[in-house]
Amino acid sequence: MSKLSDRRIEQLALAAVDACGRAYAPYSKFEVGAAILMHDGQVIVGCNVENASYGLSLCAERNAAAAAVAAGHRKWRGVAIASIGGVPPCGACRQFLAEFGLDMPIILVNLIDGARSVCNLSELLPSSFGPDDLPKSG
Ligand SMILES: [Zn+2]
C-alpha cells in the first residue's frame, strides 16, 4: 500500500473536515467532506450536495473526484473523508475512486472525536471491476 507521511495525513484530514463545513445536506443532515491529494501536493476537496429530488444528490467523494479530474489530475496519492462516525465511502464512491487507482490510502476522519483510521481502497473494494476488465479496442 502506498504510504503517506503523518504530516500529509493530517493535511488531508483537515482539508476534508474543512470541506465538510460547506456540505449542503438539508435533507439527511449527514454532512461529509472529502479531500484528495494530488501527486504534485495539491489538495482538491468536495462536499456532499443534496437535492430536493433526492436521487440527484452527490456524495462528497465523487464531487472531489470530479473536481480533481476537471482540474487535470488523474493520479492521486490518497483520499480523506470526514463525517460523523468516520464512515467509509458508499459503494458507488468506492467504484468511482477505484477508476483512478486501487492502491490508494483512504483516511476516515470521525468528526465526533477527531479519530483517523487509514485503510486502502483495495481493501474496501475487493475483487473489483475496473478499466483493465474491459476489452481493448483496436
Ligand atoms: Zn458515495
Side-chain angles (χ1 to χ4, degrees):
M1 166 164 102
S2 36
K3 288 279 192 184
L4 294 179
S5 68
D6 288 347
R7 186 181 66 81
R8 283 292 194 201
I9 288 173
E10 188 60 18
Q11 173 197 24
L12 212 49
L14 291 175
V17 170
D18 188 55
C20 187
R22 293 188 292 280
Y24 178 73
Y27 308 108
S28 73
K29 314 285 190 214
F30 190 71
E31 299 177 338
V32 182
I36 305 177
L37 178 64
M38 307 298 124
H39 272 276
D40 67 0
Q42 187 178 348
V43 173
I44 293 182
V45 300
C47 59
N48 57 330
V49 179
E50 295 182 348
N51 191 278
S53 177
Y54 294 173
L56 296 179
S57 297
L58 291 172
C59 295
E61 299 91 324
R62 279 180 284 155
N63 267 339
V69 171
H73 300 280
R74 295 180 183 176
K75 293 194 181 300
W76 310 333
R77 295 185 58 204
V79 180
I81 303 160
S83 67
I84 297 292
V87 299
C90 76
C93 286
R94 294 176 195 202
Q95 180 69 42
F96 203 87
L97 294 172
E99 182 78 14
F100 303 97
L102 266 175
D103 185 29
M104 184 162 47
I106 305 290
I107 302 140
L108 303 174
V109 183
N110 185 341
L111 294 171
I112 293 175
D113 59 7
R116 286 109 162 87
S117 64
V118 182
C119 59
N120 194 286
L121 184 56
S122 61
E123 297 172 275
L124 296 176
L125 194 66
S127 304
S128 62
F129 172 83
D132 292 340
D133 296 311
L134 294 172
K136 304 293 178 241
S137 60

